[in-house]
């Protein structure tokens, strides 16, 4: 890692104690951490939180934190998307360093306190009820997709006025047939694969279930071709959107429910594969930090794998039965922050490099999206600004495919590329019409889709 000498150690979140929500204690901790950051400044270009913080302090009367009003801290907190990059890849002061800095979890503590005080806006809560919204929108998918389409000049201004969703932000499409409905008859495992085949449960994730089942069907096809039996189990969303809002009670309830539902499958020898990196991060790391004494959650965290991590593991250990063939045109691959935060190496890149003659451009900069954060009216332009470097890199490349492990980041990058191309068509290429998940490209190279 860039910062400290070893991997950072994250402490469990003390979210059940009253002192966690003590506003004086939070203010003292913000001041301690912000002062260290102001002296350090390493994170100046990671997101919008740090530039806001540094400008706030630099422009104060004394140029130091003592003349900054605590009320002005809120925009700094609001700009944090909880991407974890400052903690995982930059900061030299994370535990076990004596400074014990965990910037994202301090932002989370602030938000959890705001949530307890009833400050989470009503529409933010409604927009992030992904299971309810996905089920309802799926019933009327063509209408829902018409109404949420970026080009809709009737509905999008209304959505912007009511729910604060920027009219220019691309929103995920809904599918009438969810992944769990697709997966009722999983593809049969390849009988030519080794006898000691694996068994895996795919934790569908809300996004794959309601918005992009193709990621799930591609994964099932690859696994079946390599002798892995799969089942799809999806009790409910992992709660990442609620974590972003500081609703820790709700996240804990979801964690317990999902862990309990998956427990019999794990005890029956199934691995668990999460299809979206933010969700894998929740299952592997955030849930155990919130509920460190829950044995079901520890069991689940121990067997959860990111989808690319799992394919690479098969390739390394048993070898792939279904060998990929060259994929024409090359790939610009964005590595999602929440994949990088899993501390597992560049698994999506490793997976795509299993494809012969792969022409790969890796983009390790933040896309700027940040979950539900980047689609909001106050944040959308900031999100494009934060993601400009990633979009610029992809736009300069002349690759046939743009891929991201995070489907929302992929869509957001295309929007950034589209804008760059409109401003400077000689330098920046026309973006492809869709951003792929790397697993879809891998399935394509294997001739499975
Ligand atoms: S977690 Fe990400 S968005 Fe939040 S402060 Fe750190 S780098 Fe910025
Ligand atoms: S989070 Fe760490 S690396 Fe980043 S500015 Fe603060 S002290 Fe420096």
């Amino acid at each position: 890692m860039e910062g400290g000498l070893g991997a950072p150690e994250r402490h469990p979140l003390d979210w059940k104690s009253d002192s966690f929500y003590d506003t004086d204690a939070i203010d003292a901790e913000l001041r301690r951490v912000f002062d260290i950051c102001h002296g350090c400044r390493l994170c100046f270009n990671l997101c919008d939180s740090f530039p806001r913080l540094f400008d706030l302090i630099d422009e104060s009367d004394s140029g130091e934190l003592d003349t900054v009003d605590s009320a002005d801290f809120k925009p700094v907190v609001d700009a944090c998307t909880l991407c974890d990059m400052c903690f995982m890849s930059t900061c030299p002061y994370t535990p076990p360093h004596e400074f014990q800095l965990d910037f994202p979890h301090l932002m989370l503590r602030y938000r959890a306190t705001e949530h307890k005080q009833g400050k989470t806006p009503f529409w933010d809560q409604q927009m992030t009820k992904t299971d309810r919204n996905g089920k309802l929108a799926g019933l009327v998918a063509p209408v829902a997709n018409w109404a949420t389409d970026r080009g809709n000049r009737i509905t999008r201004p209304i959505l912007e006025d009511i729910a604060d969703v920027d009219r220019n932000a691309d929103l995920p499409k809904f599918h009438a047939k969810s992944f769990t409905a697709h997966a009722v008859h999983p593809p049969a495992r390849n009988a030519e694969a080794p006898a000691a085949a694996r068994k895996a449960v795919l934790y569908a994730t809300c996004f794959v279930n309601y918005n992009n089942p193709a990621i799930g069907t591609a994964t099932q096809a690859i696994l079946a071709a390599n002798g892995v039996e799969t089942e799809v189990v999806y009790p409910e969303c992992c709660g990442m959107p609620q974590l972003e809002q500081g609703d820790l009670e709700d996240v804990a309830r979801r964690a317990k429910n999902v862990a309990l539902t998956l427990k019999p499958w794990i005890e029956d020898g199934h691995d668990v594969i999460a299809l979206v990196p933010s969700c894998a991060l929740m299952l592997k790391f955030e849930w155990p930090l919130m509920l460190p004494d829950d044995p079901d959650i520890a069991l689940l965290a121990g067997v959860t794998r990111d989808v690319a991590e799992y394919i690479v593991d098969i390739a390394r250990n048993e070898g792939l039965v279904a060998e990929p063939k060259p994929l024409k045109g090359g790939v610009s691959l964005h590595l999602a922050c929440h994949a990088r935060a899993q501390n597992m190496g560049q698994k999506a890149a490793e997976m795509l490099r299993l494809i012969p003659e792969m022409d790969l451009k890796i983009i390790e900069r933040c896309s700027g999206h940040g979950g539900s954060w980047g689609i909001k009216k106050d944040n959308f332009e900031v999100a494009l600004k934060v993601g400009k470097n990633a979009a610029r890199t992809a736009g300069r490349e002349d690759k046939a495919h743009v891929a991201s492990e995070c489907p929302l980041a992929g869509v957001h990058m295309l929007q950034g590329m589209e804008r760059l191309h409109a401003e400077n068509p000689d330098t920046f290429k026309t973006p492809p019409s869709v951003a792929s998940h790397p697993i879809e490209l891998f399935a394509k190279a294997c001739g499975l889709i």
Side-chain angles (χ1 to χ4, degrees), residues 46-47 49-50 79-86 103-104:
L46 284 185
C47 62
S49 270
F50 289 102
C80 174
T81 62
L82 300 181
C83 76
D84 269 348
M85 280 302 99
C86 53
F103 197 99

Side-chain angles (χ1 to χ4, degrees), residues 47-75:
C47 62
D48 211 46
S49 270
F50 289 102
R52 287 184 190 191
L53 173 64
F54 301 149
D55 286 352
L56 180 67
I57 301 175
D58 292 342
E59 288 161 15
S60 70
D61 288 346
S62 65
E64 298 293 339
L65 201 52
D66 57 348
T67 49
V68 176
D69 189 336
S70 297
D72 294 333
F73 291 163
K74 185 167 161 50

Side-chain angles (χ1 to χ4, degrees), residues 36-37 40-43 50 90-93 101:
I36 296 170
C37 291
C40 162
R41 293 185 183 247
L42 260 179
C43 293
F50 289 102
T90 310
C91 190
Y93 305 126
L101 232 84

Side-chain angles (χ1 to χ4, degrees), residues 183-262:
V184 171
H185 303 293
R189 64 171 286 269
N190 184 351
E192 289 170 22
R198 307 173 183 222
K199 301 190 277 189
V201 161
L202 304 188
Y203 173 62
T205 76
C206 62
F207 186 88
V208 171
N209 200 34
Y210 306 112
N211 303 115
N212 196 345
I215 295 172
T217 47
T219 306
Q220 279 199 305
I222 294 168
L223 291 173
N226 287 287
V228 184
E229 273 175 22
T230 56
E231 296 286 344
V232 179
V233 183
Y234 179 60
E236 62 180 320
C237 163
C238 68
M240 178 57 93
Q242 286 67 34
L243 188 85
E244 288 170 1
Q245 294 172 353
D247 188 354
L248 301 181
E249 291 280 355
D250 192 46
V251 176
R253 181 198 60 69
R254 290 166 187 269
K256 286 181 186 167
N257 179 33
V258 174
L260 196 63
T261 310
L262 291 175

